[in-house]
Amino acid sequence: MAEFVEADNAEAIFTRIEHKSSKIESLLKQYKPVEALKTALEGSPPVTKDERCKSANWIVVHRAIMAIKDIDSLFSALDLEYYDVLMKYLYRGLSTGDRPTCDQCLKIHEKLTERAGLGCILRCLADKVNTV
Amino acid sequence: MASVSVHQFAPCITCHAWSPDQSMIAFCPNNNEVHIYKMLEGKWEKIHVLHKHDQLVSGIDWSRRTDQIVTVSHDRNSYVWSLEASEWVPTLVILRLNRAALCVQWSPKENKFAVGSGAKTVCICYYEQENNWWVSKIIRKRHDSSVTSIAWHPNNILLATTSTDGKCRVFSTFIKGVDTKHSSSGSDSKFGEQIMQLDLSHSWTFGIRWSPSGNTLSYAGHDSMIYFVDDIGPSPSAQSLAFRDLPLRDVLFLSERMVIGVGYDCNPMVFAADERGLWSFLRFLDERKQTSNAKYGSQLSGTFGKLYGQSKSGSNEANESSRIRAHDNCITSVVPLKKTRDATVTTFTTAGLDGKVVTWDLQKQQDLMAYLQG
């Protein structure tokens, strides 16, 4: 029964992520990369242990992260509440080992650490429950 | 400066406690001994060495009324020391632990003391007059991991704990024959009964304390969070506060509205509640007019400077800022000193891995006084 509920839940999450994805594409077309990133981070990390859901959400967030060109303007528009979850996705990006992704994540990481402090990194490293 | 005195006692201090009249300090210099120092003619002199434990002493508490010292150690034992003539005489308290004891505290009435341990248990110890013996009662099967810190409620019954399973719990420690019924604040809880469990932190939790009235609890998470809990009981209300710097190891209520947090930033942090009871980070205590942004920037460039041998100005700046600080390593404990009539604390001491004991006085900190009254 519990497995069934989990699967059902996963379906709902997938639908939500797909919906998010199309919204992000249209925001990117309108040259609103910050709005796109906010949309991608909303509802993240998905409340599930299902790795497929997490991967699907990461693809969406990755798309939005890579679209960011001007990092300074990103932080003037991004609210505090997104900092912790963004940091988690930056570490996921760095763990891929993919050159362009790592470059972009490191650039954002530097600015984010300046703003959110070492505490933000600690919260990201210490949290074994809400992984992205 | 908010720090009034700094004294280097040892290379490293694991725990410290003050005598009732605050003329003497007992601390463990990171080994199996407890050293007692007294201020004689303006100089700290070592007057006693308590040598009985086999391993690192992890907790010391000095009772105010009975003038007894309780120590716990990684050797799984506890001793209660009493001054007879001019010698400290130990009495062994068998805790019945199979892991290290980590922290100890006398209850407010000083008829019991509590020990947190690595055996996922808390021991409540009390003196049995008939047998002339300290007895240890154990709260078992409640914690999923080591108990890192304990705190007594002013009512002498409730005990709050933090542990490395990330939870904060409150227990009743009512012991028949030691506690009287009416003192247990309306609740007739049995010994070991869990009053509350909070699962707010995703990481280890440390350093729990009650506010002077016992209405608010505060503890720290190892993920750079501090928690404030009101309405202790079946439906508690909690505030989680994330801050931008390194995690805390210990906290201390100075008044109902002000908390000092100490930890890996080597600099005590001040947290305060506004009129609506919302807690926020106020400032660092050991700081000349410097924004945390600027401080952070200099630290970062200092580190990079060391790594790459570049950015010389940056590393100088970092050295300078560490020199003006009172502590230069992680602060692991904070202990109150003088209390005013209304139970607010204005002086306290901190100690940590750098082996210094720093005394702080808030009397001259104008911006903080408002939070101390009221």
Side-chain angles (χ1 to χ4, degrees):
Chain A
M1 185 65 196
E3 235 170 77
F4 175 71
V5 172
E6 177 70 22
D8 202 36
N9 187 21
E11 280 312 311
I13 292 170
F14 275 127
T15 322
R16 229 177 299 145
I17 293 171
E18 263 171 47
H19 181 72
K20 250 188 352 188
S21 175
S22 54
K23 196 172 163 194
I24 287 162
E25 289 303 330
S26 79
L27 282 168
L28 288 180
K29 278 197 193 104
Q30 299 163 45
Y31 300 105
K32 288 180 180 164
V34 179
E35 289 303 311
L37 184 61
K38 278 189 197 174
T39 314
L41 293 176
E42 260 154 37
S44 298
V47 194
T48 171
K49 284 202 167 68
D50 194 323
E51 281 304 319
R52 291 171 305 143
C53 290
K54 292 192 188 294
S55 301
N57 203 56
W58 159 241
I59 292 167
V60 177
V61 175
H62 180 246
R63 173 91 179 88
I65 286 177
M66 296 311 281
I68 300 287
K69 297 254 152 45
D70 183 357
I71 294 166
D72 286 319
S73 71
L74 161 69
F75 283 108
S76 55
L78 195 70
D79 304 313
L80 282 163
E81 70 223 52
Y82 294 104
Y83 286 179
D84 282 4
V85 65
L86 175 61
M87 187 60 93
K88 287 182 183 175
Y89 278 109
L90 292 181
Y91 276 101
R92 175 153 191 167
L94 289 170
S95 73
T96 60
D98 171 52
R99 187 68 193 260
T101 310
C102 288
D103 282 355
Q104 176 76 350
C105 285
L106 269 180
K107 264 186 236 157
I108 301 176
H109 185 277
E110 187 194 349
K111 296 282 176 198
L112 180 59
T113 312
E114 251 170 53
R115 287 195 160 244
L118 297 174
C120 182
I121 298 177
L122 254 298
R123 278 189 289 283
C124 158
L125 297 179
D127 195 346
K128 300 280 174 208
V129 182
N130 301 311
T131 51
V132 296
Chain B
M1 295 287 274
S3 57
V4 283
S5 79
V6 182
H7 190 81
Q8 180 92 40
F9 281 101
C12 173
I13 290 179
T14 57
C15 48
H16 74 291
W18 290 90
S19 65
D21 62 355
Q22 291 160 4
S23 65
M24 288 180 276
I25 181 172
F27 64 87
C28 166
N30 202 29
N31 60 11
N32 61 338
E33 295 172 346
V34 173
H35 293 186
I36 299 180
Y37 277 69
K38 189 175 181 151
M39 180 71 96
L40 292 167
E41 292 162 3
K43 267 173 74 184
W44 286 106
E45 302 280 354
K46 192 196 291 184
I47 54 168
H48 296 285
V49 175
L50 312 187
H51 190 101
K52 195 77 183 166
H53 283 293
D54 298 329
Q55 288 173 33
L56 183 83
V57 178
S58 48
I60 304 176
D61 200 14
W62 201 323
S63 69
R64 280 171 198 276
R65 258 170 267 168
T66 55
D67 200 20
Q68 285 179 312
I69 300 175
V70 59
T71 57
V72 295
S73 152
H74 287 187
D75 64 13
R76 314 193 301 272
N77 282 328
S78 170
Y79 289 98
V80 175
W81 305 78
S82 322
L83 192 60
E84 286 170 20
S86 62
E87 285 295 308
W88 286 98
V89 179
T91 311
L92 175 67
V93 184
I94 296 175
L95 298 172
R96 295 183 290 140
L97 292 174
N98 57 3
R99 295 284 188 281
L102 300 177
C103 48
V104 67
Q105 199 178 30
W106 285 104
S107 74
K109 284 189 183 157
E110 299 175 355
N111 54 356
K112 303 185 276 190
F113 65 86
V115 180
S117 79
K120 311 178 189 175
T121 54
V122 177
C123 308
I124 311 295
C125 306
Y126 60 97
Y127 191 69
E128 259 187 11
Q129 208 76 49
E130 311 86 82
N131 303 326
N132 188 17
W133 189 253
W134 285 90
V135 181
S136 155
K137 273 189 99 166
I138 303 183
I139 301 175
R140 289 179 201 277
K141 294 185 178 166
R142 296 291 189 179
H143 298 87
D144 297 325
S145 193
S146 298
V147 179
T148 55
S149 180
I150 47 177
W152 285 95
H153 189 277
N155 73 7
N156 209 49
I157 300 290
L158 296 182
L159 182 81
T161 66
T162 51
S163 49
T164 43
D165 56 10
K167 295 187 178 71
C168 160
R169 297 177 176 89
V170 176
F171 297 99
S172 162
T173 68
F174 183 87
I175 293 172
K176 232 184 241 169
V178 177
D179 297 298
T180 41
K181 268 283 181 218
H182 58 86
S183 66
S184 67
S185 71
S187 63
D188 296 326
S189 321
K190 286 198 289 277
F191 176 83
E193 189 176 321
Q194 188 169 293
I195 310 294
M196 185 186 79
Q197 174 176 316
L198 285 168
D199 192 8
L200 299 172
S201 178
H202 301 301
S203 181
W204 303 334
T205 51
F206 288 107
I208 193 158
R209 293 288 170 104
W210 296 88
S211 68
S213 69
N215 292 335
T216 313
L217 256 181
S218 177
Y219 64 102
H222 206 54
D223 47 359
S224 288
M225 302 278 278
I226 183 167
Y227 304 93
F228 302 93
V229 189
D230 283 315
D231 306 323
I232 314 297
S235 53
S237 66
Q239 286 176 48
S240 308
L241 183 65
F243 47 87
R244 54 169 291 132
D245 298 284
L246 296 177
L248 301 175
R249 277 303 293 265
D250 204 0
V251 300
L252 175 69
F253 272 93
L254 299 189
S255 71
E256 291 297 317
R257 291 175 55 205
M258 191 153 101
V259 165
I260 296 290
V262 297
Y264 293 89
D265 250 296
C266 321
N267 193 345
M269 298 182 194
V270 184
F271 298 90
D274 62 10
E275 293 77 20
R276 291 166 299 159
L278 285 179
W279 288 87
S280 58
F281 170 69
L282 215 60
R283 67 172 172 96
F284 280 106
L285 202 53
D286 194 7
E287 195 169 47
R288 300 179 304 176
K289 302 287 171 200
Q290 229 178 355
T291 65
S292 43
N293 265 329
K295 191 204 96 221
Y296 181 75
S298 72
Q299 264 188 356
L300 187 74
S301 57
T303 317
F304 281 132
K306 269 175 220 149
L307 279 176
Y308 299 114
Q310 294 166 348
S311 146
K312 271 216 171 107
S313 64
S315 73
N316 283 342
E317 212 181 308
N319 287 339
E320 198 182 322
S321 71
S322 66
R323 200 171 56 235
I324 58 164
R325 295 248 196 93
H327 276 290
D328 35 44
N329 206 334
C330 172
I331 312 173
T332 51
S333 60
V334 52
V335 172
L337 268 178
K338 292 189 192 77
K339 281 187 179 171
T340 54
R341 268 164 283 126
D342 53 344
T344 55
V345 180
T346 53
T347 5
F348 55 93
T349 55
T350 55
L353 304 187
D354 57 1
K356 290 177 188 166
V357 172
V358 180
T359 312
W360 306 83
D361 190 352
L362 298 192
Q363 292 289 4
K364 291 198 180 91
Q365 305 286 308
Q366 294 301 334
D367 58 326
L368 303 178
M369 289 316 282
Y371 296 99
L372 286 173
Q373 303 141 0

